[in-house]
Amino acid sequence: MPIEANDFNLKKLFEKFGNVEECTLVLDKVTGKSKGFGFVKMTNEASVKKAIESINGQTINKVKIKVKLASTN
């Protein structure tokens, strides 16, 4: 995600594809700015699949977005 992104932007990006249960950008402890990645929890598998297919590879604010399913282990 672009460095200027926030949780609200992340949620808006994903909720086009279904209900977002939770989203969190990982922030640098010192600066409070985004580290460039985060986590999104959606309520159903079909929405997750559609979001991954639609968002992965897009460019947002000159940053190519990589979206993948997180490991649950």
Side-chain angles (χ1 to χ4, degrees):
M1 293 294 299
I3 197 89
E4 60 278 341
N6 59 39
D7 290 347
F8 177 78
N9 301 127
L10 184 62
K11 183 176 182 180
K12 293 302 265 181
L13 179 63
F14 278 81
E15 67 185 2
K16 297 174 193 171
F17 306 99
N19 188 40
V20 174
E21 193 173 315
E22 185 180 334
C23 68
T24 307
L25 275 175
V26 177
L27 303 177
D28 182 278
K29 290 179 183 179
V30 176
T31 66
K33 292 184 179 180
S34 169
K35 285 191 166 189
F37 67 96
F39 300 93
V40 177
K41 184 175 182 180
M42 299 182 79
T43 55
N44 72 59
E45 195 173 322
S47 295
V48 171
K49 185 176 180 180
K50 184 66 177 170
I52 291 171
E53 290 171 354
S54 299
I55 300 170
N56 188 44
Q58 278 191 16
T59 301
I60 299 174
N61 294 347
K62 300 180 184 177
V63 176
K64 190 171 183 175
I65 304 299
K66 185 178 192 180
V67 181
K68 63 181 181 177
L69 194 59
S71 173
T72 57
N73 295 339

Short mmCIF file of all heavy atoms in Angstrom, two decimals:
data_model
loop_
_atom_site.label_atom_id
_atom_site.label_comp_id
_atom_site.label_asym_id
_atom_site.label_seq_id
_atom_site.Cartn_x
_atom_site.Cartn_y
_atom_site.Cartn_z
N MET A 1 0.84 -1.18 0.00
CA MET A 1 0.00 0.00 0.00
C MET A 1 0.89 1.25 0.00
O MET A 1 1.96 1.22 0.56
CB MET A 1 -0.89 0.01 1.24
CG MET A 1 -1.95 -1.07 1.31
SD MET A 1 -3.24 -0.98 0.06
CE MET A 1 -4.00 0.58 0.39
N PRO A 2 0.38 2.32 -0.58
CA PRO A 2 1.14 3.56 -0.53
C PRO A 2 1.39 4.00 0.91
O PRO A 2 0.57 3.74 1.80
CB PRO A 2 0.22 4.56 -1.24
CG PRO A 2 -0.65 3.72 -2.11
CD PRO A 2 -0.84 2.43 -1.36
N ILE A 3 2.49 4.65 1.15
CA ILE A 3 2.89 5.04 2.50
C ILE A 3 1.86 5.95 3.17
O ILE A 3 1.70 5.94 4.38
CB ILE A 3 4.30 5.71 2.48
CG1 ILE A 3 4.91 5.75 3.87
CG2 ILE A 3 4.28 7.08 1.89
CD1 ILE A 3 5.70 4.55 4.22
N GLU A 4 1.11 6.73 2.38
CA GLU A 4 0.13 7.64 2.95
C GLU A 4 -1.24 6.98 3.20
O GLU A 4 -2.15 7.62 3.68
CB GLU A 4 -0.03 8.89 2.07
CG GLU A 4 -0.49 8.64 0.66
CD GLU A 4 0.64 8.23 -0.29
OE1 GLU A 4 1.81 8.45 -0.02
OE2 GLU A 4 0.30 7.65 -1.33
N ALA A 5 -1.35 5.71 2.92
CA ALA A 5 -2.62 4.99 3.12
C ALA A 5 -2.94 4.88 4.61
O ALA A 5 -2.07 4.95 5.47
CB ALA A 5 -2.52 3.60 2.51
N ASN A 6 -4.24 4.70 4.90
CA ASN A 6 -4.68 4.47 6.27
C ASN A 6 -5.73 3.37 6.30
O ASN A 6 -6.13 2.85 5.25
CB ASN A 6 -5.19 5.77 6.91
CG ASN A 6 -6.35 6.39 6.15
OD1 ASN A 6 -7.23 5.68 5.66
ND2 ASN A 6 -6.36 7.70 6.03
N ASP A 7 -6.17 2.99 7.49
CA ASP A 7 -7.15 1.91 7.63
C ASP A 7 -8.43 2.19 6.85
O ASP A 7 -9.02 1.30 6.25
CB ASP A 7 -7.49 1.66 9.10
CG ASP A 7 -6.36 1.03 9.89
OD1 ASP A 7 -5.39 0.54 9.27
OD2 ASP A 7 -6.44 1.01 11.12
N PHE A 8 -8.87 3.45 6.84
CA PHE A 8 -10.10 3.83 6.14
C PHE A 8 -9.94 3.57 4.63
O PHE A 8 -10.83 2.99 4.01
CB PHE A 8 -10.42 5.31 6.40
CG PHE A 8 -11.62 5.80 5.65
CD1 PHE A 8 -12.91 5.50 6.09
CD2 PHE A 8 -11.48 6.57 4.50
CE1 PHE A 8 -14.02 5.94 5.39
CE2 PHE A 8 -12.58 7.01 3.80
CZ PHE A 8 -13.86 6.70 4.24
N ASN A 9 -8.79 3.99 4.06
CA ASN A 9 -8.54 3.77 2.63
C ASN A 9 -8.53 2.28 2.30
O ASN A 9 -9.07 1.85 1.28
CB ASN A 9 -7.20 4.35 2.19
CG ASN A 9 -7.07 5.83 2.42
OD1 ASN A 9 -6.12 6.26 3.04
ND2 ASN A 9 -8.00 6.62 1.94
N LEU A 10 -7.89 1.51 3.16
CA LEU A 10 -7.80 0.06 2.96
C LEU A 10 -9.19 -0.57 2.97
O LEU A 10 -9.54 -1.36 2.11
CB LEU A 10 -6.91 -0.56 4.04
CG LEU A 10 -6.63 -2.04 3.92
CD1 LEU A 10 -5.89 -2.38 2.64
CD2 LEU A 10 -5.81 -2.50 5.14
N LYS A 11 -10.01 -0.18 3.94
CA LYS A 11 -11.37 -0.72 4.03
C LYS A 11 -12.19 -0.35 2.80
O LYS A 11 -12.87 -1.19 2.23
CB LYS A 11 -12.05 -0.21 5.30
CG LYS A 11 -13.43 -0.78 5.49
CD LYS A 11 -14.06 -0.36 6.80
CE LYS A 11 -15.43 -1.02 6.94
NZ LYS A 11 -16.07 -0.64 8.19
N LYS A 12 -12.13 0.91 2.38
CA LYS A 12 -12.88 1.35 1.20
C LYS A 12 -12.47 0.58 -0.06
O LYS A 12 -13.32 0.25 -0.88
CB LYS A 12 -12.70 2.85 0.96
CG LYS A 12 -13.31 3.74 2.02
CD LYS A 12 -14.77 3.51 2.19
CE LYS A 12 -15.61 4.44 1.40
NZ LYS A 12 -17.04 4.25 1.56
N LEU A 13 -11.20 0.28 -0.18
CA LEU A 13 -10.70 -0.46 -1.33
C LEU A 13 -11.31 -1.86 -1.39
O LEU A 13 -11.72 -2.33 -2.44
CB LEU A 13 -9.17 -0.55 -1.26
CG LEU A 13 -8.46 -1.30 -2.38
CD1 LEU A 13 -8.70 -0.62 -3.73
CD2 LEU A 13 -6.97 -1.38 -2.08
N PHE A 14 -11.41 -2.53 -0.24
CA PHE A 14 -11.87 -3.91 -0.21
C PHE A 14 -13.39 -4.05 -0.10
O PHE A 14 -13.95 -5.04 -0.57
CB PHE A 14 -11.19 -4.67 0.93
CG PHE A 14 -9.83 -5.16 0.57
CD1 PHE A 14 -8.72 -4.33 0.62
CD2 PHE A 14 -9.64 -6.47 0.13
CE1 PHE A 14 -7.46 -4.76 0.26
CE2 PHE A 14 -8.39 -6.93 -0.23
CZ PHE A 14 -7.29 -6.07 -0.17
N GLU A 15 -14.08 -3.09 0.49
CA GLU A 15 -15.51 -3.27 0.68
C GLU A 15 -16.32 -3.18 -0.61
O GLU A 15 -17.51 -3.49 -0.62
CB GLU A 15 -16.06 -2.37 1.79
CG GLU A 15 -16.06 -0.92 1.54
CD GLU A 15 -16.51 -0.12 2.76
OE1 GLU A 15 -16.80 -0.71 3.81
OE2 GLU A 15 -16.56 1.11 2.64
N LYS A 16 -15.68 -2.82 -1.71
CA LYS A 16 -16.34 -2.87 -3.02
C LYS A 16 -16.69 -4.32 -3.39
O LYS A 16 -17.54 -4.56 -4.22
CB LYS A 16 -15.42 -2.31 -4.10
CG LYS A 16 -15.06 -0.87 -3.96
CD LYS A 16 -14.04 -0.47 -5.00
CE LYS A 16 -13.43 0.87 -4.70
NZ LYS A 16 -12.30 1.17 -5.58
N PHE A 17 -16.01 -5.27 -2.74
CA PHE A 17 -16.16 -6.68 -3.09
C PHE A 17 -16.91 -7.49 -2.04
O PHE A 17 -17.15 -8.68 -2.24
CB PHE A 17 -14.77 -7.28 -3.34
CG PHE A 17 -14.01 -6.49 -4.35
CD1 PHE A 17 -13.06 -5.57 -3.97
CD2 PHE A 17 -14.29 -6.62 -5.70
CE1 PHE A 17 -12.38 -4.80 -4.90
CE2 PHE A 17 -13.62 -5.86 -6.64
CZ PHE A 17 -12.67 -4.94 -6.24
N GLY A 18 -17.26 -6.87 -0.93
CA GLY A 18 -18.00 -7.58 0.11
C GLY A 18 -17.79 -6.94 1.47
O GLY A 18 -17.10 -5.92 1.60
N ASN A 19 -18.40 -7.54 2.48
CA ASN A 19 -18.33 -7.01 3.83
C ASN A 19 -16.94 -7.19 4.43
O ASN A 19 -16.41 -8.29 4.46
CB ASN A 19 -19.37 -7.71 4.70
CG ASN A 19 -19.48 -7.07 6.06
OD1 ASN A 19 -19.43 -5.85 6.19
ND2 ASN A 19 -19.62 -7.89 7.08
N VAL A 20 -16.35 -6.09 4.89
CA VAL A 20 -15.05 -6.11 5.54
C VAL A 20 -15.28 -6.18 7.05
O VAL A 20 -15.86 -5.27 7.63
CB VAL A 20 -14.20 -4.88 5.17
CG1 VAL A 20 -12.91 -4.84 5.97
CG2 VAL A 20 -13.92 -4.86 3.67
N GLU A 21 -14.84 -7.27 7.64
CA GLU A 21 -15.01 -7.47 9.08
C GLU A 21 -13.97 -6.69 9.87
O GLU A 21 -14.26 -6.13 10.92
CB GLU A 21 -14.90 -8.96 9.37
CG GLU A 21 -15.36 -9.37 10.74
CD GLU A 21 -15.37 -10.88 10.87
OE1 GLU A 21 -15.85 -11.58 9.95
OE2 GLU A 21 -14.90 -11.36 11.91
N GLU A 22 -12.75 -6.65 9.34
CA GLU A 22 -11.65 -6.00 10.04
C GLU A 22 -10.55 -5.66 9.05
O GLU A 22 -10.31 -6.40 8.10
CB GLU A 22 -11.12 -6.99 11.08
CG GLU A 22 -10.05 -6.51 11.99
CD GLU A 22 -9.63 -7.61 12.97
OE1 GLU A 22 -10.42 -8.51 13.28
OE2 GLU A 22 -8.47 -7.54 13.40
N CYS A 23 -9.89 -4.53 9.24
CA CYS A 23 -8.73 -4.21 8.42
C CYS A 23 -7.74 -3.40 9.25
O CYS A 23 -8.12 -2.58 10.06
CB CYS A 23 -9.12 -3.47 7.15
SG CYS A 23 -9.75 -1.83 7.39
N THR A 24 -6.47 -3.69 9.03
CA THR A 24 -5.41 -3.04 9.79
C THR A 24 -4.18 -2.87 8.91
O THR A 24 -3.68 -3.83 8.35
CB THR A 24 -5.00 -3.90 11.00
OG1 THR A 24 -6.16 -4.21 11.76
CG2 THR A 24 -4.01 -3.19 11.87
N LEU A 25 -3.71 -1.65 8.82
CA LEU A 25 -2.42 -1.39 8.19
C LEU A 25 -1.35 -1.53 9.26
O LEU A 25 -1.57 -1.14 10.41
CB LEU A 25 -2.35 0.02 7.63
CG LEU A 25 -2.90 0.24 6.24
CD1 LEU A 25 -2.87 1.71 5.88
CD2 LEU A 25 -2.15 -0.55 5.21
N VAL A 26 -0.22 -2.08 8.91
CA VAL A 26 0.88 -2.21 9.85
C VAL A 26 1.65 -0.89 9.85
O VAL A 26 2.06 -0.41 8.79
CB VAL A 26 1.79 -3.40 9.48
CG1 VAL A 26 2.96 -3.49 10.43
CG2 VAL A 26 0.97 -4.69 9.51
N LEU A 27 1.82 -0.30 11.04
CA LEU A 27 2.45 1.00 11.16
C LEU A 27 3.83 0.90 11.80
O LEU A 27 4.07 0.05 12.66
CB LEU A 27 1.59 1.93 12.02
CG LEU A 27 0.15 2.15 11.55
CD1 LEU A 27 -0.59 3.03 12.54
CD2 LEU A 27 0.12 2.74 10.16
N ASP A 28 4.70 1.80 11.39
CA ASP A 28 6.02 1.92 11.99
C ASP A 28 5.84 2.48 13.40
O ASP A 28 5.14 3.48 13.58
CB ASP A 28 6.89 2.85 11.15
CG ASP A 28 8.29 2.97 11.69
OD1 ASP A 28 8.48 3.78 12.62
OD2 ASP A 28 9.19 2.28 11.19
N LYS A 29 6.45 1.87 14.40
CA LYS A 29 6.28 2.30 15.79
C LYS A 29 6.86 3.69 16.05
O LYS A 29 6.37 4.42 16.91
CB LYS A 29 6.94 1.29 16.73
CG LYS A 29 6.21 -0.02 16.79
CD LYS A 29 6.90 -0.99 17.71
CE LYS A 29 6.17 -2.32 17.69
NZ LYS A 29 6.81 -3.33 18.54
N VAL A 30 7.89 4.07 15.33
CA VAL A 30 8.54 5.36 15.56
C VAL A 30 7.82 6.49 14.83
O VAL A 30 7.49 7.51 15.43
CB VAL A 30 10.03 5.30 15.13
CG1 VAL A 30 10.68 6.67 15.27
CG2 VAL A 30 10.78 4.27 15.95
N THR A 31 7.56 6.30 13.53
CA THR A 31 6.98 7.38 12.73
C THR A 31 5.46 7.37 12.71
O THR A 31 4.84 8.38 12.41
CB THR A 31 7.47 7.30 11.27
OG1 THR A 31 6.96 6.10 10.68
CG2 THR A 31 8.98 7.34 11.19
N GLY A 32 4.86 6.20 12.97
CA GLY A 32 3.41 6.08 12.89
C GLY A 32 2.89 5.97 11.48
O GLY A 32 1.69 5.91 11.25
N LYS A 33 3.80 5.93 10.50
CA LYS A 33 3.40 5.82 9.09
C LYS A 33 3.29 4.35 8.69
O LYS A 33 3.91 3.48 9.28
CB LYS A 33 4.41 6.54 8.19
CG LYS A 33 4.42 8.03 8.38
CD LYS A 33 5.35 8.69 7.41
CE LYS A 33 5.32 10.20 7.62
NZ LYS A 33 6.22 10.88 6.69
N SER A 34 2.53 4.13 7.65
CA SER A 34 2.33 2.78 7.13
C SER A 34 3.65 2.16 6.70
O SER A 34 4.51 2.82 6.11
CB SER A 34 1.38 2.83 5.93
OG SER A 34 1.36 1.60 5.25
N LYS A 35 3.80 0.86 6.99
CA LYS A 35 4.97 0.12 6.51
C LYS A 35 4.74 -0.41 5.09
O LYS A 35 5.60 -1.06 4.53
CB LYS A 35 5.29 -1.04 7.44
CG LYS A 35 5.93 -0.60 8.73
CD LYS A 35 6.45 -1.80 9.48
CE LYS A 35 7.39 -1.38 10.58
NZ LYS A 35 8.07 -2.53 11.17
N GLY A 36 3.55 -0.17 4.55
CA GLY A 36 3.27 -0.55 3.18
C GLY A 36 2.51 -1.85 3.03
O GLY A 36 2.32 -2.34 1.93
N PHE A 37 2.05 -2.42 4.15
CA PHE A 37 1.23 -3.63 4.06
C PHE A 37 0.24 -3.66 5.21
O PHE A 37 0.34 -2.92 6.17
CB PHE A 37 2.10 -4.89 4.04
CG PHE A 37 2.85 -5.17 5.32
CD1 PHE A 37 2.32 -6.05 6.26
CD2 PHE A 37 4.06 -4.57 5.59
CE1 PHE A 37 3.01 -6.31 7.44
CE2 PHE A 37 4.76 -4.83 6.75
CZ PHE A 37 4.23 -5.71 7.68
N GLY A 38 -0.75 -4.53 5.05
CA GLY A 38 -1.78 -4.65 6.07
C GLY A 38 -2.55 -5.93 5.90
O GLY A 38 -2.21 -6.78 5.07
N PHE A 39 -3.59 -6.06 6.71
CA PHE A 39 -4.41 -7.27 6.73
C PHE A 39 -5.88 -6.89 6.65
O PHE A 39 -6.31 -5.93 7.28
CB PHE A 39 -4.15 -8.06 8.00
CG PHE A 39 -2.72 -8.48 8.13
CD1 PHE A 39 -1.80 -7.71 8.82
CD2 PHE A 39 -2.27 -9.66 7.53
CE1 PHE A 39 -0.47 -8.09 8.92
CE2 PHE A 39 -0.96 -10.04 7.62
CZ PHE A 39 -0.04 -9.26 8.33
N VAL A 40 -6.63 -7.67 5.87
CA VAL A 40 -8.07 -7.45 5.72
C VAL A 40 -8.77 -8.76 5.98
O VAL A 40 -8.40 -9.80 5.43
CB VAL A 40 -8.42 -6.95 4.30
CG1 VAL A 40 -9.92 -6.80 4.13
CG2 VAL A 40 -7.71 -5.64 4.00
N LYS A 41 -9.79 -8.72 6.82
CA LYS A 41 -10.61 -9.91 7.09
C LYS A 41 -12.00 -9.64 6.54
O LYS A 41 -12.66 -8.67 6.92
CB LYS A 41 -10.67 -10.17 8.60
CG LYS A 41 -11.40 -11.44 8.96
CD LYS A 41 -11.33 -11.69 10.46
CE LYS A 41 -12.02 -12.98 10.83
NZ LYS A 41 -11.96 -13.22 12.28
N MET A 42 -12.43 -10.53 5.62
CA MET A 42 -13.75 -10.38 5.01
C MET A 42 -14.64 -11.53 5.48
O MET A 42 -14.14 -12.56 5.93
CB MET A 42 -13.61 -10.35 3.49
CG MET A 42 -12.76 -9.18 3.01
SD MET A 42 -12.61 -9.04 1.23
CE MET A 42 -14.17 -8.27 0.83
N THR A 43 -15.95 -11.35 5.35
CA THR A 43 -16.88 -12.30 5.95
C THR A 43 -17.15 -13.55 5.13
O THR A 43 -17.65 -14.52 5.68
CB THR A 43 -18.23 -11.62 6.27
OG1 THR A 43 -18.74 -11.01 5.09
CG2 THR A 43 -18.07 -10.59 7.36
N ASN A 44 -16.84 -13.54 3.83
CA ASN A 44 -17.08 -14.78 3.09
C ASN A 44 -16.00 -15.01 2.02
O ASN A 44 -15.39 -14.08 1.52
CB ASN A 44 -18.49 -14.85 2.51
CG ASN A 44 -18.72 -13.93 1.35
OD1 ASN A 44 -18.03 -14.01 0.35
ND2 ASN A 44 -19.70 -13.05 1.48
N GLU A 45 -15.81 -16.26 1.70
CA GLU A 45 -14.75 -16.69 0.80
C GLU A 45 -14.90 -16.14 -0.61
O GLU A 45 -13.91 -15.79 -1.26
CB GLU A 45 -14.70 -18.22 0.77
CG GLU A 45 -13.44 -18.77 0.18
CD GLU A 45 -13.34 -20.28 0.33
OE1 GLU A 45 -13.75 -20.82 1.36
OE2 GLU A 45 -12.83 -20.90 -0.62
N ALA A 46 -16.13 -16.04 -1.09
CA ALA A 46 -16.36 -15.53 -2.44
C ALA A 46 -15.90 -14.07 -2.56
O ALA A 46 -15.30 -13.68 -3.56
CB ALA A 46 -17.83 -15.66 -2.82
N SER A 47 -16.17 -13.28 -1.53
CA SER A 47 -15.73 -11.88 -1.52
C SER A 47 -14.22 -11.78 -1.49
O SER A 47 -13.62 -10.94 -2.17
CB SER A 47 -16.31 -11.16 -0.29
OG SER A 47 -17.70 -11.09 -0.37
N VAL A 48 -13.59 -12.64 -0.71
CA VAL A 48 -12.13 -12.66 -0.62
C VAL A 48 -11.53 -12.96 -1.98
O VAL A 48 -10.63 -12.26 -2.45
CB VAL A 48 -11.65 -13.71 0.43
CG1 VAL A 48 -10.15 -13.90 0.36
CG2 VAL A 48 -12.09 -13.31 1.82
N LYS A 49 -12.05 -13.99 -2.63
CA LYS A 49 -11.53 -14.39 -3.94
C LYS A 49 -11.69 -13.26 -4.96
O LYS A 49 -10.76 -12.95 -5.70
CB LYS A 49 -12.25 -15.65 -4.41
CG LYS A 49 -11.70 -16.21 -5.69
CD LYS A 49 -12.37 -17.51 -6.07
CE LYS A 49 -11.78 -18.04 -7.37
NZ LYS A 49 -12.39 -19.30 -7.79
N LYS A 50 -12.85 -12.62 -4.99
CA LYS A 50 -13.11 -11.54 -5.93
C LYS A 50 -12.19 -10.35 -5.66
O LYS A 50 -11.64 -9.75 -6.58
CB LYS A 50 -14.58 -11.11 -5.86
CG LYS A 50 -14.96 -10.06 -6.86
CD LYS A 50 -14.87 -10.58 -8.27
CE LYS A 50 -15.34 -9.53 -9.25
NZ LYS A 50 -15.05 -9.87 -10.63
N ALA A 51 -11.99 -10.02 -4.38
CA ALA A 51 -11.11 -8.90 -4.02
C ALA A 51 -9.68 -9.18 -4.47
O ALA A 51 -9.02 -8.30 -5.05
CB ALA A 51 -11.16 -8.64 -2.52
N ILE A 52 -9.19 -10.38 -4.20
CA ILE A 52 -7.82 -10.74 -4.60
C ILE A 52 -7.66 -10.64 -6.10
O ILE A 52 -6.72 -10.03 -6.61
CB ILE A 52 -7.45 -12.14 -4.08
CG1 ILE A 52 -7.31 -12.13 -2.56
CG2 ILE A 52 -6.15 -12.63 -4.74
CD1 ILE A 52 -7.15 -13.51 -1.94
N GLU A 53 -8.61 -11.23 -6.84
CA GLU A 53 -8.54 -11.20 -8.30
C GLU A 53 -8.60 -9.78 -8.86
O GLU A 53 -7.94 -9.46 -9.84
CB GLU A 53 -9.69 -12.02 -8.90
CG GLU A 53 -9.56 -13.51 -8.67
CD GLU A 53 -10.81 -14.28 -9.08
OE1 GLU A 53 -11.85 -13.66 -9.44
OE2 GLU A 53 -10.77 -15.52 -9.01
N SER A 54 -9.39 -8.93 -8.23
CA SER A 54 -9.61 -7.57 -8.75
C SER A 54 -8.51 -6.58 -8.36
O SER A 54 -8.16 -5.70 -9.14
CB SER A 54 -10.96 -7.04 -8.26
OG SER A 54 -12.00 -7.87 -8.73
N ILE A 55 -7.99 -6.69 -7.15
CA ILE A 55 -7.06 -5.69 -6.64
C ILE A 55 -5.60 -6.06 -6.90
O ILE A 55 -4.78 -5.18 -7.17
CB ILE A 55 -7.28 -5.46 -5.13
CG1 ILE A 55 -8.72 -4.96 -4.88
CG2 ILE A 55 -6.27 -4.46 -4.58
CD1 ILE A 55 -9.10 -4.93 -3.42
N ASN A 56 -5.26 -7.34 -6.84
CA ASN A 56 -3.88 -7.76 -7.02
C ASN A 56 -3.33 -7.27 -8.36
O ASN A 56 -3.93 -7.47 -9.40
CB ASN A 56 -3.76 -9.28 -6.94
CG ASN A 56 -2.32 -9.74 -6.91
OD1 ASN A 56 -1.49 -9.17 -6.21
ND2 ASN A 56 -2.02 -10.77 -7.68
N GLY A 57 -2.20 -6.59 -8.30
CA GLY A 57 -1.56 -6.10 -9.51
C GLY A 57 -1.94 -4.68 -9.90
O GLY A 57 -1.31 -4.08 -10.77
N GLN A 58 -2.97 -4.11 -9.26
CA GLN A 58 -3.36 -2.73 -9.55
C GLN A 58 -2.27 -1.78 -9.06
O GLN A 58 -1.50 -2.10 -8.16
CB GLN A 58 -4.65 -2.37 -8.82
CG GLN A 58 -5.90 -2.80 -9.47
CD GLN A 58 -7.12 -2.14 -8.80
OE1 GLN A 58 -7.02 -1.17 -8.06
NE2 GLN A 58 -8.28 -2.71 -9.07
N THR A 59 -2.23 -0.59 -9.65
CA THR A 59 -1.33 0.45 -9.19
C THR A 59 -2.16 1.55 -8.53
O THR A 59 -3.10 2.06 -9.13
CB THR A 59 -0.51 1.03 -10.36
OG1 THR A 59 0.24 -0.04 -10.95
CG2 THR A 59 0.42 2.12 -9.90
N ILE A 60 -1.80 1.87 -7.29
CA ILE A 60 -2.48 2.93 -6.55
C ILE A 60 -1.42 3.92 -6.09
O ILE A 60 -0.47 3.55 -5.40
CB ILE A 60 -3.24 2.35 -5.33
CG1 ILE A 60 -4.31 1.36 -5.81
CG2 ILE A 60 -3.86 3.48 -4.51
CD1 ILE A 60 -5.02 0.63 -4.71
N ASN A 61 -1.58 5.18 -6.49
CA ASN A 61 -0.59 6.22 -6.16
C ASN A 61 0.83 5.79 -6.51
O ASN A 61 1.75 5.92 -5.70
CB ASN A 61 -0.68 6.63 -4.69
CG ASN A 61 -1.98 7.32 -4.35
OD1 ASN A 61 -2.73 7.73 -5.23
ND2 ASN A 61 -2.26 7.45 -3.08
N LYS A 62 0.99 5.24 -7.69
CA LYS A 62 2.28 4.81 -8.24
C LYS A 62 2.89 3.61 -7.51
O LYS A 62 4.07 3.32 -7.67
CB LYS A 62 3.27 5.96 -8.25
CG LYS A 62 2.82 7.15 -9.09
CD LYS A 62 3.83 8.26 -9.06
CE LYS A 62 3.30 9.45 -9.83
NZ LYS A 62 4.21 10.60 -9.77
N VAL A 63 2.09 2.91 -6.71
CA VAL A 63 2.56 1.71 -6.00
C VAL A 63 1.76 0.51 -6.50
O VAL A 63 0.53 0.51 -6.45
CB VAL A 63 2.38 1.85 -4.47
CG1 VAL A 63 2.78 0.58 -3.75
CG2 VAL A 63 3.17 3.04 -3.95
N LYS A 64 2.47 -0.51 -6.99
CA LYS A 64 1.81 -1.73 -7.44
C LYS A 64 1.38 -2.54 -6.21
O LYS A 64 2.19 -2.84 -5.35
CB LYS A 64 2.73 -2.56 -8.33
CG LYS A 64 2.03 -3.70 -9.01
CD LYS A 64 2.91 -4.36 -10.04
CE LYS A 64 2.13 -5.46 -10.74
NZ LYS A 64 2.90 -6.05 -11.83
N ILE A 65 0.10 -2.88 -6.16
CA ILE A 65 -0.48 -3.57 -5.01
C ILE A 65 -0.37 -5.08 -5.20
O ILE A 65 -0.69 -5.62 -6.26
CB ILE A 65 -1.97 -3.18 -4.83
CG1 ILE A 65 -2.11 -1.67 -4.72
CG2 ILE A 65 -2.58 -3.90 -3.64
CD1 ILE A 65 -1.41 -1.05 -3.55
N LYS A 66 0.04 -5.76 -4.14
CA LYS A 66 0.11 -7.22 -4.14
C LYS A 66 -0.87 -7.71 -3.07
O LYS A 66 -0.76 -7.34 -1.91
CB LYS A 66 1.54 -7.66 -3.80
CG LYS A 66 1.76 -9.14 -3.89
CD LYS A 66 3.23 -9.43 -3.58
CE LYS A 66 3.58 -10.84 -3.94
NZ LYS A 66 5.01 -11.12 -3.65
N VAL A 67 -1.83 -8.52 -3.49
CA VAL A 67 -2.84 -9.05 -2.57
C VAL A 67 -2.79 -10.56 -2.62
O VAL A 67 -2.83 -11.16 -3.69
CB VAL A 67 -4.26 -8.57 -2.95
CG1 VAL A 67 -5.29 -9.10 -1.97
CG2 VAL A 67 -4.33 -7.06 -3.04
N LYS A 68 -2.69 -11.17 -1.44
CA LYS A 68 -2.69 -12.63 -1.38
C LYS A 68 -3.36 -13.08 -0.08
O LYS A 68 -3.48 -12.30 0.86
CB LYS A 68 -1.27 -13.18 -1.48
CG LYS A 68 -0.36 -12.77 -0.37
CD LYS A 68 1.04 -13.34 -0.57
CE LYS A 68 1.95 -12.94 0.58
NZ LYS A 68 3.27 -13.53 0.45
N LEU A 69 -3.76 -14.32 -0.08
CA LEU A 69 -4.40 -14.91 1.09
C LEU A 69 -3.33 -15.15 2.15
O LEU A 69 -2.28 -15.75 1.87
CB LEU A 69 -5.07 -16.22 0.70
CG LEU A 69 -6.05 -16.83 1.68
CD1 LEU A 69 -7.19 -15.87 1.99
CD2 LEU A 69 -6.61 -18.12 1.11
N ALA A 70 -3.58 -14.69 3.36
CA ALA A 70 -2.62 -14.89 4.46
C ALA A 70 -2.71 -16.30 4.97
O ALA A 70 -3.79 -16.91 5.00
CB ALA A 70 -2.91 -13.90 5.59
N SER A 71 -1.60 -16.81 5.41
CA SER A 71 -1.56 -18.14 6.02
C SER A 71 -2.24 -18.09 7.38
O SER A 71 -2.08 -17.14 8.13
CB SER A 71 -0.10 -18.57 6.20
OG SER A 71 -0.04 -19.75 6.92
N THR A 72 -3.00 -19.11 7.69
CA THR A 72 -3.70 -19.16 8.98
C THR A 72 -2.98 -20.04 9.98
O THR A 72 -3.48 -20.33 11.04
CB THR A 72 -5.15 -19.68 8.80
OG1 THR A 72 -5.10 -20.95 8.17
CG2 THR A 72 -5.97 -18.71 7.98
N ASN A 73 -1.78 -20.48 9.65
CA ASN A 73 -1.00 -21.33 10.57
C ASN A 73 -0.26 -20.52 11.58
O ASN A 73 0.22 -19.52 11.44
CB ASN A 73 -0.01 -22.19 9.77
CG ASN A 73 -0.75 -23.17 8.88
OD1 ASN A 73 -1.91 -23.49 9.12
ND2 ASN A 73 -0.09 -23.62 7.85
#
